[in-house]
Structures are given as C-alpha cells and as structure tokens.
Amino acid sequence: MTPDAVHIWAAGFFDGEGSVLIYRRKTPSNGVTTPYNIRATVTNTDPRPIRLLHCTYGGNVSAYRPRAPRRRAWKWTAMCRVAAKFLREVSPYLVVKREQAEIALVMQDTIERFKRRPRPGHRGQEPLPSEEVSYRDSLHTRLLELRHPSETVN
C-alpha cells in the first residue's frame, strides 16, 4: 500500500474501532497543575490490523483475554507526540472522529507550548497560568461530550 492508502485505511479503521482520549491524571504530580496527555487507541480481536498500526505509526501493543465468552483482543495505544503524529496523518480522512481528533491535537499543541518551563530556583516545572488550566479543562470536557453525547439519533 502507498503511504496515502495506509492513512486512508487507518482512518477508516480508527473511525470504526478506535478512541480518541484526553487522559487526565487524578493527582497532579507536581501539586500545582493537572497533567493531561492525549491518546489514540484501537482494540480488535484480529491482531493483523493492530500490527499494521504499530508498524506504521509506532505506539504500543498489548494483548489481553477478557472474561468468557469474549475472545482474546489486542490493543494499540499511541500517546502524546506519537498520538498527535498519527491523528495529524489520518485526520483528513476521518469522518466520525474528526472533531475529536482536532480537539486532541489542540490539547497536544498546548502541552508542547508549555513543556519543560523550569521554575527559577526550584525543582520541577513552572505552574501553568490559571487561564491555561481552565482552557485544558474545557478541551477535556468538550472531548468527553463528543464521545458520550446525551442526544440520540432519530
């Protein structure tokens, strides 16, 4: 397959089987800001498409056996920069998850913009401005709303 064909295939597979997440750690590691990261995941009972995603885009693969009667499944997970690279490459071809991908990419851009800003005279990172924390919280909430709409399709 050509690179474009792989991106088109991956977008369709991801639209149907994948998830876009903004993961929010419950306890801030530095006591000042709530850490977030983005994730793209796909779970399937056939390992072949999971291997193709892993070989093409990187990330991690894990296998697990859910409770009976379900079959063994494989999960591909891309986080942070790897997830952003994947989402940028497939987003032109996404239909169902395009808006979710766009929100995750905005979140990753905000994370990169404030990454590794040292605190003068202290260990750790400089606290995020309160406006930035509120903005990240709003992105997280918006993605949750898109993933779990309360409206039903008529």
Side-chain angles (χ1 to χ4, degrees):
M1 277 195 271
T2 66
D4 281 344
V6 172
H7 297 328
I8 292 167
W9 168 83
F13 190 69
F14 185 73
D15 252 346
E17 301 291 330
S19 296
V20 179
L21 305 143
I22 294 176
Y23 178 75
R24 179 180 177 187
R25 195 174 326 152
K26 294 186 189 306
T27 306
S29 59
N30 61 4
V32 180
T33 59
T34 303
Y36 286 100
N37 66 48
I38 69 168
R39 296 180 184 185
T41 66
V42 179
T43 303
N44 202 274
T45 57
D46 186 336
R48 293 172 296 179
I50 300 301
R51 274 192 231 120
L52 182 55
L53 288 169
H54 180 249
C55 290
T56 305
Y57 301 105
N60 298 300
V61 173
S62 56
Y64 61 94
R65 184 175 302 279
R67 293 184 195 149
R70 295 185 176 212
R71 296 175 17 197
R72 183 180 184 130
W74 285 263
K75 182 177 185 177
W76 172 75
T77 303
M79 295 174 45
C80 306
R81 291 178 182 161
V82 175
K85 183 178 185 297
F86 167 74
L87 292 172
R88 281 190 182 92
E89 290 177 348
V90 300
S91 64
Y93 312 109
L94 292 173
V95 176
V96 177
K97 293 182 173 65
R98 180 176 287 165
E99 190 175 357
Q100 295 176 33
E102 290 169 355
I103 290 168
L105 289 170
V106 169
M107 175 64 85
Q108 185 64 29
D109 290 344
T110 68
I111 291 167
E112 293 296 330
R113 190 170 57 242
F114 285 95
K115 201 156 189 109
R116 303 193 193 286
R117 294 172 62 179
R119 295 172 69 186
H122 296 89
R123 296 177 72 184
Q125 296 178 347
E126 180 180 321
L128 290 174
S130 60
E131 304 83 31
E132 182 65 22
V133 172
S134 295
Y135 182 59
R136 289 182 185 189
D137 288 342
S138 72
L139 291 172
H140 179 254
T141 301
R142 179 67 184 130
L143 184 60
L144 286 175
E145 290 168 350
L146 286 172
R147 292 186 66 227
H148 305 286
S150 58
E151 301 173 7
T152 57
V153 177
N154 294 325

